[in-house]
Amino acid sequence: MNRVKSFVIRQPLPFRHKIDMNLSAMHLKPLSWVRFAWDLAKLPADQTELPEHYKIERATAEDAIELRKVFSSSFLLDPIWNPAIGEVMQRVQAWLDRAFESDAHVCLALRHGSRIIGAALLAVDPNIDNHLAPGPSILTEYRNRGFGTILLERSLNVLRESGLSRATGIARDISPVAKFLYPKFDGQVAPVDIAALLAA
């Protein structure tokens, strides 16, 4: 299996381990995107409780390898990304590379015991167009249990606590995230050009 080649590395970080991907799956078919926006003042006052033995907390650089596995499996195992998996994986890798480099990013880890089963990367800069980059990702065997909804709720609360009044997230228009997750918490959707994603 091929590996994504790294660009210039300023300093070694745990996320410099690259995401595995099958380059033969790369195609040039364009993707269609939508942007969701949330008014953070309208979030529920009480956060949803997690089941026993689960918790969501800020991840650290020591969690890098497990986080990479969560994000890479979310994209590589989802057939809707096949038309441009190479482009998507390079973008995700760039987000992961800078995850712990500054206070402008927060990484949340959803743990079942000591195992990381879900994660979200958040950009807390109010001047960008994609605060969930990438947004909530859950390992396949833990999906359809409401964990994505709870992780989205916690992500939006962290963004609000960071001083943002509005948050945005970009997703592929036919993805389950766009159809079922991001409309929650009154997410308002609009089409977006892919150039907006590349600039995020």
Side-chain angles (χ1 to χ4, degrees), residues 5 9 16 18 20 22 33 39 49 51 59 64 82 86 95 100 104 113 130-131 150 154 159 172 178 197:
K5 300 298 182 184
I9 299 175
R16 298 304 179 197
K18 297 303 167 193
D20 293 334
N22 183 346
W33 302 89
D39 181 346
E49 292 292 327
N82 284 346
W95 287 326
F100 299 110
N130 190 13
H131 298 107
I150 296 174
R154 298 292 171 85
L159 292 170
R172 191 170 178 199
L197 177 67

Side-chain angles (χ1 to χ4, degrees), residues 17-101:
H17 298 281
K18 297 303 167 193
I19 292 174
D20 293 334
M21 66 178 213
N22 183 346
L23 294 178
S24 65
M26 292 174 58
H27 301 285
L28 299 177
K29 183 178 177 181
L31 303 180
S32 297
W33 302 89
V34 288
R35 178 190 291 114
F36 284 82
W38 295 269
D39 181 346
L40 298 180
K42 295 181 179 178
L43 290 177
D46 297 322
Q47 296 186 44
T48 306
E49 292 292 327
L50 280 164
E52 191 176 359
H53 306 300
Y54 292 87
K55 63 182 176 181
I56 296 174
E57 60 188 8
R58 291 193 181 202
T60 67
E62 287 73 31
D63 299 316
I65 293 175
E66 281 192 82
L67 293 166
R68 179 175 56 91
K69 290 177 183 176
V70 170
F71 289 121
S72 62
S73 68
S74 291
F75 287 95
L76 291 170
L77 298 178
D78 189 339
I80 70 159
W81 295 107
N82 284 346
I85 193 64
E87 175 187 340
V88 171
M89 286 294 96
Q90 288 182 22
R91 178 57 46 185
V92 172
Q93 185 63 54
W95 287 326
L96 295 178
D97 284 346
R98 65 179 186 243
F100 299 110
E101 291 181 355

Side-chain angles (χ1 to χ4, degrees), residues 85-134:
I85 193 64
E87 175 187 340
V88 171
M89 286 294 96
Q90 288 182 22
R91 178 57 46 185
V92 172
Q93 185 63 54
W95 287 326
L96 295 178
D97 284 346
R98 65 179 186 243
F100 299 110
E101 291 181 355
S102 76
D103 293 336
H105 298 91
V106 174
C107 186
L108 297 180
L110 168 59
R111 299 181 191 271
H112 181 201
S114 61
R115 182 187 184 198
I116 295 178
I117 63 153
L121 278 177
L122 314 176
V124 298
D125 182 347
N127 300 313
I128 64 171
D129 278 335
N130 190 13
H131 298 107
L132 306 174

